[in-house]
């Protein structure tokens, strides 16, 4: 069974640009969550999508947005990039429900110059 | 609000030693779920175990064991006879029914196992 696939693995952008990251969940998983990992703040929840609807959102500015498609694939977008957005962005998929273990992809490492 | 504390930033042990990683959580919810994840140098988070708030049974899986104590709000993880391959960052995480799949993570504990 294929795992969670995130593309691209690495990305370099400059301040002010925007970026789109992609996540393909495990087959059959309709819940997709995104997390940001930085050395200073650790792992922080960005948002969760289920059946193309955002169910939960973390404490991030509106520059961070996402969406989910009918095939459960998800994208997240960050606009007007700032230096502080440099991070590892992790996508996780699972069956719905807080008791379900989430399965993570390898992440996209975003560097802002 | 939910909070997870992993007080041990980094632990170094010699191979074959036993090591315990501590996790203390805070939540007002009576129904919650606790998880442990491993993050090797490659970066992906690997799910290790889940525990429900209403199930305080300890669990053993090979060299891994978990001790869940609601009285002290702790969910500690012990590796017996550690191996170099156990070197990784270990995260404890919490989810509650109200917030669906949202995981609140601890800061992580870096485990270094030396040969």
């Amino acid at each position: 069974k294929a795992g969670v696939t995130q593309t691209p693995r690495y990305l370099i952008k400059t301040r002010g640009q925007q970026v789109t990251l992609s996540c393909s969940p495990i087959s059959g998983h309709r819940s997709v969550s995104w997390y940001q990992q930085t050395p200073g703040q650790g792992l922080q929840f960005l948002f969760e999508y289920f059946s193309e609807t955002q169910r939960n959102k973390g404490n991030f500015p509106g520059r961070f947005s996402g969406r989910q498609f009918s095939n459960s694939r998800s994208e997240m977008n960050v606009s007007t990039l700032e230096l502080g957005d440099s991070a590892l962005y992790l996508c996780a998929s699972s069956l719905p429900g807080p008791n379900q273990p989430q399965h993570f992809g390898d992440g996209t490492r975003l560097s802002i110059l | 609000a939910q909070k997870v504390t992993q007080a041990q930033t980094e632990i170094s042990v010699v191979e074959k030693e036993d090591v315990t990683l501590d996790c203390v959580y805070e939540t007002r919810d009576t129904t919650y779920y606790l998880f442990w994840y491993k993050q090797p140098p490659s970066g992906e988070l690997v799910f290790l175990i889940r525990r429900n708030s209403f199930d305080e049974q300890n669990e053993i899986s090979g060299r891994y064991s978990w001790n869940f104590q609601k009285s002290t709000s702790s969910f500690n993880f012990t590796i017996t006879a550690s191996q170099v391959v156990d070197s990784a960052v270990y995260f404890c995480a919490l989810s509650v029914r109200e917030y669906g799949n949202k995981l609140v993570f601890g800061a992580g504990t870096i485990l270094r196992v030396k040969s």
Side-chain angles (χ1 to χ4, degrees):
Chain A
K1 190 172 183 181
V4 177
T5 304
Q6 290 187 247
T7 56
R9 287 297 310 278
Y10 303 93
L11 209 47
I12 299 175
K13 293 286 187 179
T14 57
R15 281 182 300 173
Q17 288 187 308
Q18 75 165 16
V19 67
T20 299
L21 311 181
S22 181
C23 173
S24 293
I26 291 172
S27 177
H29 285 185
R30 294 166 60 196
S31 172
V32 174
S33 299
W34 289 88
Y35 294 83
Q36 181 197 63
Q37 186 176 23
T38 60
Q41 300 298 317
L43 278 156
Q44 293 187 290
F45 172 78
L46 280 156
F47 27 64
E48 178 203 355
Y49 286 87
F50 177 74
S51 292
E52 303 178 65
T53 301
Q54 187 181 89
R55 287 209 299 188
N56 289 292
K57 190 176 190 306
N59 295 324
F60 280 82
R63 299 186 297 107
F64 291 82
S65 62
R67 59 177 176 169
Q68 186 180 34
F69 302 95
S70 59
N71 62 358
S72 294
R73 191 177 70 84
S74 177
E75 289 181 346
M76 69 164 278
N77 184 276
V78 188
S79 62
T80 320
L81 287 165
E82 301 176 358
L83 292 178
D85 297 333
S86 293
L88 179 66
Y89 290 88
L90 291 162
C91 169
S93 76
S94 71
L95 297 172
N99 63 325
Q100 297 297 328
Q102 295 185 40
H103 301 273
F104 287 79
D106 292 341
T108 293
R109 186 163 295 281
L110 174 64
S111 298
I112 311 302
L113 303 179
Chain B
Q2 293 75 44
K3 184 178 179 182
V4 176
T5 301
Q6 294 179 257
Q8 303 152 308
T9 305
E10 185 170 337
I11 301 175
S12 288
V13 299
V14 176
E15 214 172 11
K16 297 184 184 177
E17 281 187 30
D18 297 347
V19 58
T20 295
L21 310 181
D22 298 333
C23 172
V24 174
Y25 62 91
E26 296 176 32
T27 179
R28 293 182 181 177
D29 292 73
T30 55
T31 301
Y32 53 89
Y33 308 89
L34 295 162
F35 302 82
W36 275 95
Y37 283 86
K38 173 182 180 180
Q39 187 175 41
S42 51
E44 83 279 17
L45 282 162
V46 177
F47 165 72
L48 296 176
I49 192 172
R50 172 195 64 203
R51 237 353 171 207
N52 305 327
S53 56
F54 41 87
D55 181 3
E56 284 194 73
Q57 275 193 330
N58 292 328
E59 184 158 337
I60 298 174
S61 176
R63 296 184 297 108
Y64 295 171
S65 63
W66 291 269
N67 181 273
F68 175 32
Q69 291 194 340
K70 287 179 76 170
S71 60
T72 56
S73 298
S74 65
F75 185 41
N76 296 336
F77 173 29
T78 297
I79 302 175
T80 303
S82 60
Q83 300 176 0
V84 172
V85 294
D86 295 328
S87 298
V89 184
Y90 290 86
F91 292 95
C92 180
L94 167 72
S95 68
V96 299
R97 191 168 48 187
E98 179 182 0
Y99 294 110
N101 284 28
K102 172 185 175 182
L103 285 172
V104 175
F105 283 91
T109 296
I110 300 170
L111 175 63
R112 301 189 197 280
V113 181
K114 303 174 185 176
S115 57

